[in-house]
Amino acid sequence: MSERLQPGDPAPAFTLPDADGNEVSLSDHKGRKVIVYFYPAALTPGCTKQACDFTDNLDLLAGAGYDVIGISPDQPEKLAKFRETESLRVTLLADPDKKALDAYGAYGEKKNYGRTYMGVIRSTIVVDEEGKVERALYNVRATGHVAKIIKDLGI
């Protein structure tokens, strides 16, 4: 398990396939602020709620200069189905090798009902225009999280 990121840290670079298999890199967004959120699995209730919340607020976030990228360990085909089923407009990236998840501290030990296991830690990292971590939020809740980010960022 990797270290959690702190404000001021350089955001780890990544290049991952999107739902259509096209490569997307963090560096593609240089000069813009990016909200990178990590979620456990497409087409599950909590992750669907979170992705729909980001989609519903995408115009507001984009207007304030933020791009939104969602990353999960799912394959691109599952992300495409997720996007179509839920009419999502956020960029969804596949990280089946968990390299970006690990680099961002979003993969590690979790506890649920007394059981300990390795999994995706629902996390949101806000990256500034210079590629540095502005905010690093871990163990966030799927519901109400987007509204909290918008409030915290003063949008």
Side-chain angles (χ1 to χ4, degrees):
M1 180 170 100
S2 63
E3 291 292 308
R4 292 187 169 185
L5 298 174
Q6 301 296 323
D9 287 350
F14 60 77
T15 301
L16 297 167
D18 68 7
D20 299 314
N22 301 314
E23 299 278 304
V24 175
S25 300
L26 180 61
S27 60
D28 297 343
H29 298 268
K30 192 124 178 87
R32 290 196 45 93
K33 293 185 177 209
V34 186
I35 296 170
V36 183
Y37 78 97
F38 297 90
Y39 62 100
L43 300 166
T44 58
C47 297
T48 297
K49 173 83 179 103
Q50 189 178 21
C52 288
D53 278 355
F54 271 119
T55 292
D56 293 346
N57 288 286
L58 201 58
D59 293 338
L60 176 70
L61 291 164
Y66 290 89
D67 295 335
V68 179
I69 297 173
I71 299 177
S72 75
D74 297 307
Q75 294 293 336
E77 300 77 28
K78 187 173 180 188
L79 297 179
K81 184 172 186 221
F82 189 31
R83 183 185 61 200
E84 304 312 317
T85 303
E86 302 298 335
S87 303
L88 300 175
R89 293 186 303 134
V90 294
T91 300
L92 300 174
L93 302 183
D95 187 16
D97 298 333
K98 303 176 187 69
K99 286 192 173 87
L101 283 155
D102 201 40
Y104 278 79
Y107 188 81
E109 199 172 271
K110 295 175 71 169
K111 287 182 175 33
N112 198 10
Y113 301 112
R115 191 173 71 90
T116 302
Y117 60 98
M118 295 299 282
V120 175
I121 298 162
R122 193 181 301 276
S123 311
T124 301
I125 311 298
V126 180
V127 180
D128 70 15
E129 301 91 339
E130 305 300 315
K132 295 233 182 296
V133 174
E134 187 177 301
R135 291 168 192 261
L137 310 164
Y138 292 94
N139 293 310
V140 300
R141 301 185 70 78
T143 307
H145 179 58
V146 175
K148 182 178 175 355
I149 290 173
I150 288 168
K151 182 173 177 274
D152 289 352
L153 292 174
I155 300 171

